[in-house]
Amino acid sequence: MTHLHATPAGAEAPDAAGVRNRIREVTGRDPSPLFGALLLRPDLAGPLFEWFAAVMTRDGSLGRPLKEMIATRISYANACRYCSALHSYRAETAGVPRATIERLADPIDQLPLDERERALLAFCDKVRDASPEIGPADWDVLRAAGWQDEAILEAVHVVGMFSHFNRMADAVGVEFTPPPS
């Protein structure tokens, strides 16, 4: 149950049905609890969903498993229960082992990932916690690890998106319940 007042049946904002249908078209499922709540303002929910779709529903340069790991790590660090639960679930459905997901809050050097992935996640942590301090040397470390600028920028989008979504989910008061197996 969200902190928002539920819209009475039939009184939904006129554009909400279009956004709901777009979410179903792109994801193949009903809106998440967060997007369901945000449909109170479809003029804001629609563009926000399109950003989410562009970053998270396409493989892009990083692939869905890595993006879900980044989303989960950011959500763990921001203590967002909703996004932590939802994206750890989605990481697992994307093929990330449960043992890895459970360790995503660990220090970088203890993560069960390869050095290349650790370098990217360390950069993501810095984007989350100290973005004004990022400089050319940070990008050089990632390039030396084999990351292309397009992939690094995609990771920055995931971090920025989940820093935003974590706050939205907490403020709105949504909860995640995994679908039945």
Side-chain angles (χ1 to χ4, degrees):
M1 179 63 72
T2 72
H3 302 310
L4 298 171
H5 294 285
T7 304
E12 196 170 62
D15 297 340
V19 176
R20 179 177 280 107
N21 290 338
R22 176 71 177 143
I23 292 170
R24 286 179 181 140
E25 172 190 328
V26 171
T27 67
R29 58 184 177 264
D30 285 334
S32 67
L34 178 58
F35 273 104
L38 296 180
L39 286 174
L40 183 63
R41 286 290 309 270
D43 57 320
L44 301 175
L48 190 61
F49 175 75
E50 293 302 332
W51 181 36
F52 171 83
V55 174
M56 295 300 291
T57 67
R58 299 178 186 114
D59 278 342
S61 299
L62 297 178
R64 188 165 161 248
L66 185 52
K67 288 190 275 191
E68 292 293 352
M69 285 194 294
I70 295 168
T72 302
R73 183 170 175 84
I74 296 303
S75 299
Y76 285 167
N78 289 334
C80 179
R81 291 186 320 254
Y82 170 80
C83 293
S84 295
L86 175 61
H87 290 280
S88 64
Y89 170 80
R90 289 197 178 150
E92 190 168 21
T93 64
V96 179
R98 171 62 38 200
T100 299
I101 294 165
E102 290 171 355
R103 304 248 337 259
L104 286 173
D106 289 358
I108 289 291
D109 63 340
Q110 296 176 18
L111 292 175
L113 304 172
D114 64 37
E115 288 302 317
R116 186 171 182 260
E117 291 169 325
R118 282 191 199 126
L120 184 63
L121 286 172
F123 178 79
C124 289
D125 286 357
K126 191 168 184 178
V127 171
R128 182 193 68 227
D129 298 334
S131 59
E133 297 171 15
I134 292 173
D138 297 294
W139 284 73
D140 291 344
V141 166
L142 292 174
R143 290 178 185 124
W147 293 106
Q148 299 295 313
D149 286 2
E150 294 82 1
I152 301 167
L153 183 58
E154 192 171 341
V156 170
H157 271 281
V158 176
V159 174
M161 176 179 294
F162 281 90
S163 294
H164 177 76
F165 281 153
N166 293 164
R167 285 154 182 83
M168 296 280 294
D170 287 340
V172 171
V174 292
E175 295 180 12
F176 173 72
T177 304
S181 301

